Amino acid sequence: MIQQLDVRAEQALFLASEVVALSEKTEDSLAIYSARYTNFFNMIWLILNDITIGYAFGTFLYENAEFLANLISGSAQNMLIDWVIWVLRWLDSWPAGLKLNTELSWFYSHTLIDLVSVWGRVLQQIFPCLPTIIQAFGLISSFGGIVGGLTMMLSLFCDLLAVFTVHIYVCYVMTNAVYARALRTAGSLWNLFRGKRYNVLRNRTDSWEYEIDQLLFGTILFTLLAFLFPTILAYYSLFALMRLGTIVVQATLETQLAFMNHFPLFALMLRVKDPWRLPGGVYFSHSADKETVLILKNQPVPLSNIFFQYIQLWSRLASHYNPLRLLKCVFAGAFLSPIPRYEIRYNKIHDGNAVTGKDT
């Protein structure tokens, strides 16, 4: 919500600064002035469409708050609490013949079940207030004015999703910390058995001669790790997959927010209706008469330049949510996090030629 308010404040600042610049016509270049004019009215269209669509969705939320609250609370209780507890108990009972370490599995399951149960009781206190919360979302979306709209509603639902999945995040952090430590321990033992040692000062692996007691101690640690690692991996995989699912939902909402905040609607309409108002250059064409006459014509801005910010946005999203990268992070024990929202924000204040894609 705070980030969306920051985006809206940024848009308001952009409009205020552009009103003065366009009214005084301080730009000498017609192309730059045309780009700033298009960006100015594109921003107005985006805000008006956001408020209009937000009013429709906000009215729907307000009128169906009770039904939506029952649907959300029932789904959250079944999927985020009851199902997680069932899976944890299932893992603790040697599922599919997978013989996990009994003591460690018991510790994992009971600790995580207690944590999930505690957050389930917290959600039970929130569920009765959910109709009021949804009605408040609807009122903010419908009558919030310039700070409301569909984008604010999506941002609020992102925050609500984060609140509902706090226990999954905490469980993932705990299991990820143990899994990452186990991987680092396995790497150290691998260097031990190869007669290597990591040199911290030179950031490299050097040869080293270990004594017999060090090798014996390393063998004992490796035996313990080999027997405990399947249990660590099983519980880590569960919450890593749940964390991935949460990130996918958050990524979908974040993409919709970026679409609503920065879609070049006005420029696209001009490109379809009056292409000459978006000049991208000139070209010569031959006349159809017998005499060869060169006619100078306007070449509109190509669609690739109009949507260039979405190409950049898609490249950032594709690189961050690349399945191979995510799988690598899961196997390597790297922390999984959604893309920061500031990386998918298109700053129009510092870019006057957003339509043409050229620097001023």
Side-chain angles (χ1 to χ4, degrees):
M1 177 180 177
I2 300 299
Q3 293 180 347
Q4 180 57 33
L5 289 175
D6 181 58
V7 171
R8 191 65 85 204
E10 185 179 276
Q11 292 174 340
L13 180 61
F14 169 78
L15 293 177
S17 61
E18 289 300 293
V19 165
V20 178
L22 293 176
S23 60
E24 296 179 356
K25 295 184 179 181
T26 56
E27 294 289 349
D28 296 331
S29 174
L30 180 61
I32 296 177
Y33 180 82
S34 176
R36 300 185 69 170
Y37 172 86
T38 304
N39 290 333
F40 175 78
F41 281 98
N42 185 75
M43 185 67 68
I44 293 179
W45 274 63
L46 286 178
I47 295 176
L48 292 179
N49 286 338
D50 185 16
I51 295 174
T52 303
I53 300 175
Y55 179 82
F57 276 91
T59 304
F60 173 78
L61 289 180
Y62 187 83
E63 294 178 353
N64 300 274
E66 194 70 31
F67 170 76
L68 293 175
N70 294 331
L71 180 63
I72 294 175
S73 59
S75 301
Q77 180 66 33
N78 293 330
M79 298 177 60
L80 301 179
I81 304 298
D82 297 339
W83 184 82
V84 176
I85 293 176
W86 177 84
V87 172
L88 289 172
R89 290 174 177 170
W90 179 70
L91 283 178
D92 192 34
S93 60
W94 290 9
L98 181 62
K99 297 182 179 180
L100 304 178
N101 183 271
T102 305
E103 289 75 14
L104 182 60
S105 179
W106 185 90
F107 173 78
Y108 258 118
S109 62
H110 284 72
T111 302
L112 298 176
I113 286 175
D114 290 342
L115 194 151
V116 173
S117 299
V118 168
W119 192 248
R121 288 192 289 270
V122 174
L123 292 181
Q124 289 294 334
Q125 303 299 321
I126 298 177
F127 288 156
C129 303
L130 200 55
T132 305
I133 295 175
I134 294 178
Q135 287 180 346
F137 286 2
L139 290 176
I140 293 175
S141 177
S142 300
F143 305 104
I146 192 173
V147 298
L150 182 62
T151 53
M152 180 57 66
M153 185 182 67
L154 291 175
S155 182
L156 290 172
F157 272 107
C158 282
D159 297 338
L160 188 63
L161 175 65
V163 172
F164 279 8
T165 57
V166 165
H167 60 296
I168 294 177
Y169 176 79
V170 174
C171 292
Y172 169 73
V173 170
M174 295 171 57
T175 55
N176 178 75
V178 178
Y179 177 78
R181 174 58 62 182
L183 287 183
R184 287 193 292 268
T185 303
S188 299
L189 293 176
W190 172 248
N191 289 332
L192 174 68
F193 296 143
R194 293 190 304 148
K196 302 288 185 179
R197 188 183 70 168
Y198 180 71
N199 192 329
V200 180
L201 297 178
R202 297 187 177 183
N203 194 21
R204 68 183 187 186
T205 302
D206 298 330
S207 299
W208 189 260
E209 293 184 2
Y210 291 96
E211 298 180 359
I212 188 65
D213 55 343
Q214 293 176 321
L215 294 175
L216 180 60
F217 183 67
T219 303
I220 296 174
L221 290 180
F222 178 78
T223 304
L224 292 175
L225 183 63
F227 281 103
L228 297 179
F229 189 77
T231 305
I232 296 173
L233 178 62
Y235 285 92
Y236 167 74
S237 300
L238 170 64
F239 287 100
L241 292 176
M242 297 182 68
R243 176 64 177 167
L244 278 176
T246 305
I247 288 178
V248 168
V249 178
Q250 290 179 341
T252 303
L253 295 176
E254 295 285 355
T255 304
Q256 293 176 354
L257 276 174
F259 179 84
M260 292 295 299
N261 282 324
H262 309 302
F263 187 74
L265 179 62
F266 185 74
L268 187 62
M269 292 183 62
L270 286 182
R271 179 65 172 78
V272 175
K273 183 180 178 181
D274 296 320
W276 60 272
R277 297 184 64 180
L278 292 177
V282 294
Y283 68 97
F284 291 97
S285 64
H286 296 282
S287 62
D289 301 334
K290 295 181 179 180
E291 297 181 359
T292 302
V293 179
L294 295 179
I295 302 176
L296 183 65
K297 292 186 177 181
N298 174 47
Q299 183 176 3
V301 173
L303 294 177
S304 59
N305 284 5
I306 295 178
F307 288 96
F308 83 98
Q309 67 268 32
Y310 277 93
I311 297 176
Q312 297 177 358
L313 172 63
W314 176 253
S315 63
R316 293 174 185 174
L317 290 173
S319 61
H320 187 84
Y321 294 111
N322 188 343
L324 295 179
R325 175 189 169 275
L326 293 178
L327 287 177
K328 182 180 178 181
C329 291
V330 170
F331 287 120
F335 190 78
L336 296 174
S337 61
I339 186 171
R341 191 175 296 182
Y342 65 84
E343 292 189 7
I344 57 175
R345 282 175 55 178
Y346 178 63
N347 192 349
K348 288 182 176 292
I349 293 179
H350 300 96
D351 192 353
N353 285 337
V355 173
T356 61
K358 299 176 182 178
D359 297 332
T360 58

